[in-house]
Amino acid sequence: MNEDQRFETQAIRQQIDGTHAQEHSTPLYLTSSFTYENSEEMRAAFAGEIDKNIYSRFSNPNTQEFVDKICAMEGAEAGYAFASGMAAVFSTFAALLAAGDNIISCRSIFGSTHTVFNKILPKWNITTTYVDLKDTDSWQEVVKENTKLLYVETPTNPGVDLVDLSWVSEFTKKNDLILVVDNCFATPYLQQPIKFGADLVIHSATKFIDGQGRVLGGVTVGRQDLIDEIYAFSRSTGPSMSPFNAWVLSKSLETLAVRMDRHCDNALKLAQFLESNDQIAWVKYPFLPSHPQHEIANRQMSAGGGVVSFGIKGGLERGKRFLDEIKMCSLTANLGDSRTIVTHPSSTTHAKLTEGERQKVDITPELIRVSVGLEHIDDIIVDIQQALNHSI
Ligand SMILES: *Cc1c(COP(=O)(O)O)cnc(C)c1O
Protein backbone atom coordinates (compact mmCIF):
# COMPACT_ATOMS: atom_id res chain seq x y z
CA MET A 1 0.00 0.00 0.00
CA ASN A 2 1.31 3.38 -1.02
CA GLU A 3 0.47 5.99 1.71
CA ASP A 4 1.09 8.89 -0.68
CA GLN A 5 -1.66 7.92 -3.05
CA ARG A 6 -5.13 9.45 -2.85
CA PHE A 7 -8.03 7.36 -1.57
CA GLU A 8 -9.41 6.86 -5.09
CA THR A 9 -6.03 5.71 -6.36
CA GLN A 10 -5.53 3.28 -3.48
CA ALA A 11 -8.96 1.80 -4.09
CA ILE A 12 -7.75 0.92 -7.57
CA ARG A 13 -4.06 0.24 -6.97
CA GLN A 14 -4.24 -1.70 -3.71
CA GLN A 15 -4.61 -5.01 -5.39
CA ILE A 16 -5.05 -8.30 -3.64
CA ASP A 17 -2.50 -10.98 -4.34
CA GLY A 18 -3.85 -14.28 -3.03
CA THR A 19 -0.40 -15.68 -2.41
CA HIS A 20 0.59 -12.72 -0.18
CA ALA A 21 -2.67 -11.77 1.52
CA GLN A 22 -3.22 -15.41 2.55
CA GLU A 23 -6.97 -15.31 2.07
CA HIS A 24 -8.75 -18.31 3.50
CA SER A 25 -11.18 -18.21 0.58
CA THR A 26 -9.78 -17.74 -2.92
CA PRO A 27 -10.17 -14.16 -4.10
CA LEU A 28 -11.93 -13.39 -7.35
CA TYR A 29 -9.51 -12.33 -10.10
CA LEU A 30 -11.73 -10.12 -12.24
CA THR A 31 -9.06 -8.92 -14.61
CA SER A 32 -8.80 -9.22 -18.34
CA SER A 33 -5.00 -9.06 -18.46
CA PHE A 34 -1.91 -9.47 -16.26
CA THR A 35 1.16 -7.26 -15.76
CA TYR A 36 4.92 -7.96 -15.71
CA GLU A 37 7.93 -6.76 -13.74
CA ASN A 38 9.82 -5.79 -16.87
CA SER A 39 10.11 -6.35 -20.60
CA GLU A 40 12.17 -9.53 -20.21
CA GLU A 41 9.52 -11.19 -18.01
CA MET A 42 6.85 -10.14 -20.47
CA ARG A 43 8.81 -11.54 -23.40
CA ALA A 44 9.36 -14.85 -21.59
CA ALA A 45 5.65 -15.10 -20.68
CA PHE A 46 4.58 -14.55 -24.29
CA ALA A 47 7.19 -17.03 -25.51
CA GLY A 48 5.75 -19.62 -23.11
CA GLU A 49 9.12 -19.97 -21.34
CA ILE A 50 7.64 -19.12 -17.93
CA ASP A 51 4.28 -20.07 -16.46
CA LYS A 52 2.60 -16.64 -16.17
CA ASN A 53 -0.93 -15.52 -16.96
CA ILE A 54 -1.19 -13.22 -19.98
CA TYR A 55 -4.85 -12.59 -20.74
CA SER A 56 -8.00 -14.15 -19.24
CA ARG A 57 -9.08 -15.58 -22.59
CA PHE A 58 -5.98 -17.80 -22.29
CA SER A 59 -5.87 -18.41 -18.54
CA ASN A 60 -6.85 -16.84 -15.23
CA PRO A 61 -6.15 -17.93 -11.62
CA ASN A 62 -9.85 -18.60 -10.95
CA THR A 63 -10.43 -20.69 -14.08
CA GLN A 64 -7.16 -22.51 -13.42
CA GLU A 65 -8.26 -23.39 -9.88
CA PHE A 66 -11.54 -24.76 -11.24
CA VAL A 67 -9.83 -26.76 -14.01
CA ASP A 68 -7.19 -28.13 -11.62
CA LYS A 69 -9.90 -29.38 -9.26
CA ILE A 70 -11.85 -31.10 -12.07
CA CYS A 71 -8.64 -32.68 -13.40
CA ALA A 72 -7.86 -34.05 -9.95
CA MET A 73 -11.41 -35.41 -9.54
CA GLU A 74 -11.49 -37.01 -13.01
CA GLY A 75 -7.90 -38.29 -12.97
CA ALA A 76 -7.11 -36.15 -16.04
CA GLU A 77 -3.76 -34.75 -17.19
CA ALA A 78 -5.07 -31.35 -18.27
CA GLY A 79 -8.19 -29.35 -19.11
CA TYR A 80 -9.76 -26.13 -20.31
CA ALA A 81 -12.84 -24.33 -18.95
CA PHE A 82 -15.58 -22.95 -21.20
CA ALA A 83 -18.44 -20.46 -20.94
CA SER A 84 -20.99 -23.27 -21.16
CA GLY A 85 -21.28 -27.00 -21.66
CA MET A 86 -22.10 -26.45 -25.34
CA ALA A 87 -19.01 -24.26 -25.78
CA ALA A 88 -17.00 -27.20 -24.42
CA VAL A 89 -18.76 -29.66 -26.75
CA PHE A 90 -18.41 -27.52 -29.90
CA SER A 91 -14.83 -26.33 -29.22
CA THR A 92 -13.67 -29.89 -28.57
CA PHE A 93 -14.97 -31.02 -31.98
CA ALA A 94 -13.77 -27.87 -33.75
CA ALA A 95 -10.28 -28.24 -32.27
CA LEU A 96 -9.82 -31.94 -33.00
CA LEU A 97 -11.64 -32.48 -36.30
CA ALA A 98 -11.17 -31.25 -39.86
CA ALA A 99 -13.36 -31.14 -42.96
CA GLY A 100 -14.19 -34.64 -44.12
CA ASP A 101 -13.92 -36.28 -40.70
CA ASN A 102 -16.63 -38.49 -39.26
CA ILE A 103 -17.98 -38.92 -35.72
CA ILE A 104 -19.80 -41.92 -34.28
CA SER A 105 -22.44 -41.22 -31.66
CA CYS A 106 -25.80 -42.38 -30.31
CA ARG A 107 -29.01 -40.44 -30.78
CA SER A 108 -29.74 -40.43 -27.06
CA ILE A 109 -27.66 -37.34 -26.34
CA PHE A 110 -28.34 -33.82 -25.12
CA GLY A 111 -30.65 -31.98 -27.57
CA SER A 112 -28.21 -29.16 -28.47
CA THR A 113 -25.38 -31.67 -29.05
CA HIS A 114 -27.68 -33.39 -31.52
CA THR A 115 -28.18 -30.01 -33.25
CA VAL A 116 -24.39 -29.48 -33.41
CA PHE A 117 -24.02 -32.89 -35.11
CA ASN A 118 -26.94 -32.42 -37.51
CA LYS A 119 -26.90 -28.71 -38.36
CA ILE A 120 -23.60 -27.06 -37.38
CA LEU A 121 -20.74 -29.49 -38.08
CA PRO A 122 -22.09 -30.44 -41.55
CA LYS A 123 -21.28 -26.83 -42.61
CA TRP A 124 -17.64 -27.93 -42.53
CA ASN A 125 -18.41 -31.35 -43.98
CA ILE A 126 -17.96 -33.10 -40.62
CA THR A 127 -20.51 -35.90 -40.52
CA THR A 128 -22.01 -37.98 -37.72
CA THR A 129 -23.07 -41.62 -37.95
CA TYR A 130 -25.50 -42.77 -35.28
CA VAL A 131 -25.33 -46.22 -33.76
CA ASP A 132 -27.90 -47.98 -31.60
CA LEU A 133 -26.83 -47.76 -27.96
CA LYS A 134 -28.21 -51.21 -27.20
CA ASP A 135 -26.88 -52.96 -30.29
CA THR A 136 -23.11 -52.70 -29.82
CA ASP A 137 -22.57 -55.64 -32.21
CA SER A 138 -23.49 -53.30 -35.07
CA TRP A 139 -20.92 -50.61 -34.21
CA GLN A 140 -17.91 -52.12 -35.99
CA GLU A 141 -19.51 -51.98 -39.41
CA VAL A 142 -20.04 -48.18 -39.28
CA VAL A 143 -16.35 -47.37 -38.64
CA LYS A 144 -14.96 -45.80 -41.80
CA GLU A 145 -11.56 -44.65 -42.97
CA ASN A 146 -12.42 -41.05 -41.98
CA THR A 147 -13.95 -41.86 -38.55
CA LYS A 148 -11.95 -40.00 -35.92
CA LEU A 149 -13.98 -39.75 -32.76
CA LEU A 150 -16.66 -41.55 -30.77
CA TYR A 151 -18.92 -39.46 -28.55
CA VAL A 152 -21.23 -40.86 -25.86
CA GLU A 153 -23.18 -39.78 -22.82
CA THR A 154 -23.70 -42.17 -19.93
CA PRO A 155 -26.20 -42.09 -18.30
CA THR A 156 -28.00 -40.69 -21.32
CA ASN A 157 -30.34 -37.73 -21.35
CA PRO A 158 -33.26 -38.16 -20.93
CA GLY A 159 -33.59 -41.96 -21.17
CA VAL A 160 -31.08 -42.79 -18.37
CA ASP A 161 -29.60 -45.57 -20.49
CA LEU A 162 -25.98 -46.59 -19.97
CA VAL A 163 -22.94 -47.18 -22.15
CA ASP A 164 -20.49 -49.83 -20.94
CA LEU A 165 -17.36 -47.67 -20.58
CA SER A 166 -14.89 -50.60 -20.48
CA TRP A 167 -16.36 -52.09 -23.65
CA VAL A 168 -16.53 -48.81 -25.54
CA SER A 169 -12.97 -47.80 -24.65
CA GLU A 170 -11.70 -51.17 -25.88
CA PHE A 171 -13.66 -50.56 -29.08
CA THR A 172 -12.21 -47.08 -29.63
CA LYS A 173 -8.66 -48.24 -28.89
CA LYS A 174 -8.99 -51.11 -31.37
CA ASN A 175 -10.24 -48.70 -34.06
CA ASP A 176 -7.87 -45.85 -33.19
CA LEU A 177 -10.69 -43.41 -32.33
CA ILE A 178 -10.73 -40.63 -29.73
CA LEU A 179 -13.28 -41.52 -27.03
CA VAL A 180 -15.11 -38.48 -25.65
CA VAL A 181 -17.57 -38.99 -22.79
CA ASP A 182 -20.12 -36.40 -21.63
CA ASN A 183 -20.07 -37.13 -17.89
CA CYS A 184 -22.62 -34.47 -16.95
CA PHE A 185 -25.26 -36.76 -15.43
CA ALA A 186 -22.85 -38.73 -13.24
CA THR A 187 -20.37 -35.99 -12.22
CA PRO A 188 -16.79 -37.01 -11.34
CA TYR A 189 -18.04 -37.99 -7.88
CA LEU A 190 -20.02 -40.97 -9.21
CA GLN A 191 -18.06 -41.96 -12.32
CA GLN A 192 -14.60 -41.29 -13.77
CA PRO A 193 -14.60 -42.34 -17.44
CA ILE A 194 -10.84 -41.76 -17.85
CA LYS A 195 -10.19 -44.64 -15.43
CA PHE A 196 -12.10 -46.87 -17.90
CA GLY A 197 -10.04 -45.62 -20.86
CA ALA A 198 -11.80 -42.46 -22.11
CA ASP A 199 -9.50 -39.92 -23.79
CA LEU A 200 -11.57 -36.85 -22.93
CA VAL A 201 -14.39 -36.05 -20.51
CA ILE A 202 -16.79 -33.15 -21.01
CA HIS A 203 -19.02 -31.56 -18.40
CA SER A 204 -21.77 -29.04 -18.48
CA ALA A 205 -20.81 -27.46 -15.14
CA THR A 206 -24.17 -25.70 -15.30
CA LYS A 207 -25.83 -28.83 -13.92
CA PHE A 208 -24.79 -30.78 -10.81
CA ILE A 209 -21.36 -29.12 -10.58
CA ASP A 210 -22.91 -25.71 -9.91
CA GLY A 211 -25.84 -27.52 -8.38
CA GLN A 212 -27.87 -24.45 -7.60
CA GLY A 213 -28.96 -23.21 -11.02
CA ARG A 214 -26.90 -20.01 -10.92
CA VAL A 215 -24.21 -19.93 -13.60
CA LEU A 216 -23.34 -21.58 -16.90
CA GLY A 217 -20.04 -23.33 -17.43
CA GLY A 218 -18.36 -26.19 -19.21
CA VAL A 219 -15.06 -28.03 -19.10
CA THR A 220 -13.12 -30.56 -21.16
CA VAL A 221 -10.42 -32.61 -19.43
CA GLY A 222 -8.23 -35.54 -20.44
CA ARG A 223 -5.12 -36.40 -22.44
CA GLN A 224 -2.49 -33.66 -22.49
CA ASP A 225 -1.85 -33.84 -26.26
CA LEU A 226 -5.56 -33.42 -27.04
CA ILE A 227 -6.03 -30.64 -24.49
CA ASP A 228 -3.05 -28.83 -26.06
CA GLU A 229 -4.99 -28.71 -29.34
CA ILE A 230 -8.21 -27.67 -27.59
CA TYR A 231 -6.31 -24.93 -25.75
CA ALA A 232 -4.68 -23.65 -28.96
CA PHE A 233 -8.09 -23.48 -30.65
CA SER A 234 -9.84 -21.87 -27.67
CA ARG A 235 -7.30 -19.21 -26.76
CA SER A 236 -7.67 -17.79 -30.28
CA THR A 237 -11.44 -18.19 -30.66
CA GLY A 238 -12.59 -17.12 -27.17
CA PRO A 239 -15.16 -19.58 -25.74
CA SER A 240 -13.48 -19.34 -22.30
CA MET A 241 -15.21 -19.40 -18.91
CA SER A 242 -15.46 -16.09 -17.05
CA PRO A 243 -13.36 -15.80 -13.87
CA PHE A 244 -16.53 -15.06 -11.90
CA ASN A 245 -18.24 -18.24 -13.02
CA ALA A 246 -15.05 -20.18 -12.31
CA TRP A 247 -14.97 -18.72 -8.80
CA VAL A 248 -18.61 -19.74 -8.21
CA LEU A 249 -18.07 -23.21 -9.68
CA SER A 250 -14.86 -23.80 -7.77
CA LYS A 251 -16.78 -23.09 -4.55
CA SER A 252 -19.54 -25.43 -5.74
CA LEU A 253 -17.04 -28.25 -6.10
CA GLU A 254 -16.37 -28.02 -2.36
CA THR A 255 -19.87 -29.36 -1.72
CA LEU A 256 -20.26 -31.69 -4.72
CA ALA A 257 -19.84 -34.92 -2.76
CA VAL A 258 -22.35 -34.15 -0.02
CA ARG A 259 -24.86 -32.79 -2.53
CA MET A 260 -24.55 -35.83 -4.81
CA ASP A 261 -25.01 -38.22 -1.87
CA ARG A 262 -28.36 -36.57 -1.11
CA HIS A 263 -29.39 -36.28 -4.81
CA CYS A 264 -28.77 -40.02 -5.18
CA ASP A 265 -30.59 -41.00 -1.95
CA ASN A 266 -33.61 -38.93 -2.94
CA ALA A 267 -33.60 -40.19 -6.53
CA LEU A 268 -33.46 -43.84 -5.46
CA LYS A 269 -36.34 -43.33 -3.02
CA LEU A 270 -38.42 -41.55 -5.69
CA ALA A 271 -37.65 -44.33 -8.20
CA GLN A 272 -38.78 -46.97 -5.67
CA PHE A 273 -41.96 -45.02 -4.97
CA LEU A 274 -42.74 -44.71 -8.69
CA GLU A 275 -42.04 -48.40 -9.29
CA SER A 276 -44.70 -49.33 -6.72
CA ASN A 277 -47.32 -46.93 -8.15
CA ASP A 278 -49.96 -48.38 -10.50
CA GLN A 279 -50.27 -45.13 -12.50
CA ILE A 280 -46.73 -45.58 -13.80
CA ALA A 281 -46.00 -47.72 -16.88
CA TRP A 282 -42.26 -48.05 -16.27
CA VAL A 283 -39.40 -46.45 -14.29
CA LYS A 284 -35.72 -46.14 -15.23
CA TYR A 285 -33.00 -45.44 -12.69
CA PRO A 286 -29.51 -47.01 -12.90
CA PHE A 287 -29.50 -48.28 -9.31
CA LEU A 288 -32.93 -49.95 -9.49
CA PRO A 289 -32.39 -53.70 -10.00
CA SER A 290 -35.05 -53.50 -12.74
CA HIS A 291 -32.85 -51.21 -14.89
CA PRO A 292 -31.88 -53.32 -17.94
CA GLN A 293 -28.22 -52.32 -17.45
CA HIS A 294 -28.13 -52.42 -13.66
CA GLU A 295 -25.05 -54.63 -13.72
CA ILE A 296 -23.12 -52.06 -15.85
CA ALA A 297 -24.25 -49.32 -13.45
CA ASN A 298 -22.78 -51.26 -10.53
CA ARG A 299 -19.48 -51.67 -12.36
CA GLN A 300 -18.90 -48.06 -13.39
CA MET A 301 -20.95 -45.83 -11.07
CA SER A 302 -20.80 -45.54 -7.29
CA ALA A 303 -24.48 -44.48 -7.10
CA GLY A 304 -27.33 -43.96 -9.54
CA GLY A 305 -27.24 -40.17 -9.96
CA GLY A 306 -29.94 -37.54 -9.58
CA VAL A 307 -32.14 -38.21 -12.62
CA VAL A 308 -35.08 -40.61 -12.81
CA SER A 309 -37.20 -41.12 -15.93
CA PHE A 310 -40.60 -42.76 -16.08
CA GLY A 311 -43.56 -43.35 -18.35
CA ILE A 312 -46.94 -42.25 -17.11
CA LYS A 313 -49.99 -44.33 -18.05
CA GLY A 314 -52.31 -42.45 -20.42
CA GLY A 315 -49.75 -41.11 -22.88
CA LEU A 316 -49.25 -37.53 -24.05
CA GLU A 317 -52.47 -35.96 -22.71
CA ARG A 318 -52.02 -37.55 -19.30
CA GLY A 319 -48.39 -36.43 -19.26
CA LYS A 320 -49.41 -32.82 -19.89
CA ARG A 321 -52.16 -32.96 -17.21
CA PHE A 322 -49.60 -34.41 -14.78
CA LEU A 323 -47.22 -31.48 -15.39
CA ASP A 324 -50.10 -28.99 -14.99
CA GLU A 325 -50.93 -30.48 -11.58
CA ILE A 326 -47.36 -30.24 -10.22
CA LYS A 327 -47.31 -27.70 -7.37
CA MET A 328 -43.89 -27.61 -5.65
CA CYS A 329 -41.48 -29.01 -8.23
CA SER A 330 -40.32 -26.68 -11.02
CA LEU A 331 -41.28 -26.91 -14.67
CA THR A 332 -38.08 -25.76 -16.31
CA ALA A 333 -35.44 -26.89 -18.79
CA ASN A 334 -32.52 -27.20 -16.39
CA LEU A 335 -31.36 -30.19 -14.35
CA GLY A 336 -28.92 -30.83 -11.53
CA ASP A 337 -30.40 -28.13 -9.31
CA SER A 338 -31.12 -28.15 -5.57
CA ARG A 339 -34.78 -27.80 -6.65
CA THR A 340 -36.59 -30.81 -8.10
CA ILE A 341 -37.37 -30.27 -11.79
CA VAL A 342 -39.96 -32.11 -13.86
CA THR A 343 -39.70 -32.03 -17.67
CA HIS A 344 -41.53 -33.49 -20.64
CA PRO A 345 -38.68 -34.05 -23.15
CA SER A 346 -40.76 -34.77 -26.26
CA SER A 347 -42.43 -31.33 -26.17
CA THR A 348 -39.42 -29.33 -24.89
CA THR A 349 -35.72 -30.34 -24.81
CA HIS A 350 -36.01 -32.88 -27.64
CA ALA A 351 -38.77 -31.16 -29.65
CA LYS A 352 -36.27 -30.42 -32.47
CA LEU A 353 -35.89 -34.14 -33.22
CA THR A 354 -38.37 -35.59 -35.68
CA GLU A 355 -41.01 -38.00 -34.36
CA GLY A 356 -39.06 -40.85 -35.96
CA GLU A 357 -35.78 -39.77 -34.36
CA ARG A 358 -37.46 -39.52 -30.96
CA GLN A 359 -38.91 -43.00 -31.33
CA LYS A 360 -35.45 -44.40 -32.12
CA VAL A 361 -34.18 -43.22 -28.74
CA ASP A 362 -37.31 -44.11 -26.78
CA ILE A 363 -38.34 -40.49 -26.18
CA THR A 364 -41.97 -41.48 -26.16
CA PRO A 365 -44.82 -38.99 -25.52
CA GLU A 366 -45.40 -40.43 -22.02
CA LEU A 367 -41.75 -40.00 -20.93
CA ILE A 368 -41.28 -37.72 -17.91
CA ARG A 369 -37.81 -36.79 -16.61
CA VAL A 370 -37.30 -35.82 -12.99
CA SER A 371 -34.09 -34.16 -11.83
CA VAL A 372 -34.43 -34.95 -8.16
CA GLY A 373 -33.41 -32.05 -5.93
CA LEU A 374 -32.35 -31.62 -2.34
CA GLU A 375 -35.76 -30.90 -0.77
CA HIS A 376 -36.95 -33.47 1.80
CA ILE A 377 -37.82 -36.63 -0.14
CA ASP A 378 -41.24 -36.88 1.54
CA ASP A 379 -42.21 -33.46 0.15
CA ILE A 380 -41.04 -34.43 -3.34
CA ILE A 381 -43.09 -37.65 -3.20
CA VAL A 382 -46.17 -35.82 -1.84
CA ASP A 383 -46.07 -33.43 -4.83
CA ILE A 384 -45.59 -36.18 -7.44
CA GLN A 385 -48.27 -38.34 -5.76
CA GLN A 386 -50.87 -35.57 -5.73
CA ALA A 387 -50.13 -34.69 -9.37
CA LEU A 388 -50.59 -38.37 -10.30
CA ASN A 389 -53.91 -38.51 -8.41
CA HIS A 390 -55.27 -35.27 -9.87
CA SER A 391 -54.29 -36.05 -13.47
CA ILE A 392 -56.14 -39.39 -13.81
C1 LIG B 1 -26.94 -29.21 -20.26
C2 LIG B 1 -26.14 -30.24 -20.93
C3 LIG B 1 -25.17 -29.89 -21.89
C4 LIG B 1 -24.95 -28.45 -22.33
O1 LIG B 1 -24.52 -27.64 -21.31
P1 LIG B 1 -24.83 -26.05 -21.19
O2 LIG B 1 -24.05 -25.65 -20.00
O3 LIG B 1 -26.31 -25.91 -21.05
O4 LIG B 1 -24.34 -25.43 -22.46
C5 LIG B 1 -24.44 -30.90 -22.47
N1 LIG B 1 -24.63 -32.20 -22.12
C6 LIG B 1 -25.56 -32.57 -21.21
C7 LIG B 1 -25.74 -34.00 -20.88
C8 LIG B 1 -26.34 -31.61 -20.58
O5 LIG B 1 -27.26 -31.97 -19.68
Side-chain angles (χ1 to χ4, degrees), residues 8 27 29 41 48 83 87 89 92 113 136-137 147 174 212 232 284 328 343 372 379 386:
E8 289 81 355
Y29 291 89
E41 193 188 42
V89 168
T92 298
T113 308
T136 47
D137 288 346
T147 307
K174 191 173 76 189
Q212 288 146 83
K284 259 218 241 125
M328 180 191 78
T343 11
V372 186
D379 292 322
Q386 67 80 27

Side-chain angles (χ1 to χ4, degrees), residues 185-204:
F185 268 45
T187 80
Y189 181 59
L190 305 180
Q191 171 176 278
Q192 296 103 32
I194 289 169
K195 295 199 176 129
F196 292 87
D199 298 297
L200 292 172
V201 167
I202 291 184
H203 282 286
S204 165

Side-chain angles (χ1 to χ4, degrees), residues 162-328:
L162 304 181
V163 176
D164 183 338
L165 287 172
S166 300
W167 183 87
V168 81
S169 87
E170 221 170 276
F171 177 82
T172 50
K173 288 207 166 47
K174 191 173 76 189
N175 290 288
D176 200 18
L177 307 177
I178 300 167
L179 173 57
V180 185
V181 179
D182 182 331
N183 200 26
C184 173
F185 268 45
T187 80
Y189 181 59
L190 305 180
Q191 171 176 278
Q192 296 103 32
I194 289 169
K195 295 199 176 129
F196 292 87
D199 298 297
L200 292 172
V201 167
I202 291 184
H203 282 286
S204 165
T206 315
K207 312 298 167 56
F208 291 102
I209 288 179
D210 173 50
Q212 288 146 83
R214 302 169 299 188
V215 299
L216 279 90
V219 64
T220 303
V221 299
R223 259 169 54 189
Q224 182 74 56
D225 59 325
L226 300 175
I227 295 295
D228 286 347
E229 287 183 59
I230 292 166
Y231 170 73
F233 171 84
S234 303
R235 74 175 250 170
S236 294
T237 54
S240 43
M241 177 181 278
S242 81
F244 177 75
N245 285 14
W247 180 83
V248 171
L249 292 166
S250 186
K251 292 251 162 242
S252 294
L253 286 176
E254 293 178 15
T255 56
L256 182 68
V258 286
R259 286 186 288 106
M260 288 315 293
D261 280 343
R262 182 61 66 84
H263 278 297
C264 294
D265 279 357
N266 281 356
L268 181 60
K269 283 182 188 144
L270 178 68
Q272 286 163 342
F273 160 77
L274 291 168
E275 199 161 49
S276 67
N277 190 293
D278 63 5
Q279 294 300 308
I280 303 298
W282 53 265
V283 184
K284 259 218 241 125
Y285 183 68
F287 267 50
L288 275 186
S290 61
H291 191 290
Q293 297 161 300
H294 181 55
E295 185 238 334
I296 297 175
N298 272 327
R299 249 188 286 141
Q300 63 194 33
M301 300 174 75
S302 61
V307 179
V308 178
S309 72
F310 65 92
I312 189 165
K313 283 185 185 165
L316 181 63
E317 289 310 313
R318 173 78 192 279
K320 282 194 197 155
R321 284 204 302 278
F322 170 77
L323 285 192
D324 288 340
E325 293 294 342
I326 287 286
K327 289 200 165 71
M328 180 191 78

Side-chain angles (χ1 to χ4, degrees), residues 78-141:
Y80 189 83
F82 296 91
S84 68
M86 287 321 299
V89 168
F90 175 73
S91 304
T92 298
F93 298 144
L96 301 177
L97 301 173
D101 285 348
N102 173 252
I103 299 168
I104 296 178
S105 192
C106 306
R107 279 192 202 275
S108 32
I109 48 172
F110 187 66
S112 297
T113 308
H114 202 263
T115 306
V116 168
F117 285 153
N118 291 356
K119 301 259 159 66
I120 313 286
L121 293 178
K123 289 182 180 188
W124 297 286
N125 193 24
I126 296 170
T127 55
T128 303
T129 308
Y130 293 103
V131 288
D132 184 345
L133 195 71
K134 291 168 197 146
D135 181 19
T136 47
D137 288 346
S138 69
W139 290 23
Q140 188 60 54
E141 65 205 44

